[in-house]
Amino acid sequence: MKLNAGQSGRRHGMPYVDLNLLTALDVLLAECSVTKAAQRLGVSPSAMSRTLSRLRTATGDQLLVLAGRTLVPTPYAEQLGERAHELARNARAVLQPANSTVDLATLERTFTIRANDGFVDLVGASLMAAIAQTARHVRIRFVSKPDKDARALREGMIDLEVGVLGTAAPELRTRLLIRDRFVGICRTGHPLLTRVSAKRYASCSHVVVSRKPQFTGPVDDALALLGQSRIISMVVPTFANAMQIVRYSDLVGLVPHSSLGSASPGHHAESEGIEHFELPVRTPAISVSAIWHPRLHADPAHRWLRDTIFGICKNASP
């Protein structure tokens, strides 16, 4: 550690303390030798001797005095020994790079994640299994997505957001989790399933999912290019609502493929009354991302959460 000359006095109204002296004091009291202390700190013996003089001036005590050919600590230096060592150690800890590891076995933390119900259904059970296996004291709180306002991330009200990017906050960090697509859903045995065309699809009564006070979306734009328009009879707030309504009615729904979960082909959910089909029109792909504030970017526990969710999504991608 390089020892700067420093100076005593006051700067900007505050007493100035050269913390280099604290490290030097710790080493000098441990070695009781100017030469050995200089070697440990990588400075010359003359520089170390000058530092000892500064320490004597600062403390008003000789600290180390000759006893024959060796230096011995004064009674005051003996009192300072343990305190100086602890303070120097703490100062080094404060000024070192942040810890990049975390003990997951002992980690106790609650993470709040804002996501829609489809994503919770997709990753919830797998995320709980990962936590139970590696970080059993961690808790997850999923909260709903009333909007895409970045304030919740900026103010620390949530730790992570999952969804389609829709905020202008430039500082937020993102990572793509899933590339998804919209699919249609209807009850098993619905007449539409015999032949899905744009005209037959548009002629059905539809239930749509929206948090906004609007009934139309990208699929309506695609239908309009073909001179078609669909009949929207109901708007609901969640994909689970739409699936339940479709199961017990003739309404046709529109959901991301990932929200089907076990309702995808070959799984038991189809026997429970729901089938899905590819849309007869093209709609934009859906890019679902993890979004977080840079304040948490280097936090090892938060990084573990992000990596865990990414791994789950990679295996569950539609």
Side-chain angles (χ1 to χ4, degrees), residues 298-316:
D299 178 65
H302 196 274
R303 185 174 63 247
W304 166 80
L305 175 68
R306 300 192 307 261
D307 290 344
T308 300
I309 291 176
F310 178 79
I312 293 171
C313 289
K314 185 177 180 180
N315 293 329

Side-chain angles (χ1 to χ4, degrees), residues 228-250:
Q228 303 290 331
S229 62
R230 59 180 176 160
I231 303 167
I232 299 176
S233 302
M234 184 179 293
V235 177
V236 294
T238 72
F239 300 125
N241 296 151
M243 294 175 71
Q244 185 72 357
I245 291 166
V246 161
R247 180 180 283 116
Y248 297 108
S249 74
D250 282 336

Side-chain angles (χ1 to χ4, degrees), residues 13 36 173 192 209 250 252 254:
K36 291 181 179 180
R173 302 291 185 95
L192 177 63
V209 179
D250 282 336
V252 173
L254 179 73

Side-chain angles (χ1 to χ4, degrees), residues 291-302:
I291 310 165
W292 65 95
H293 195 274
R295 179 183 64 256
L296 295 170
H297 184 70
D299 178 65
H302 196 274

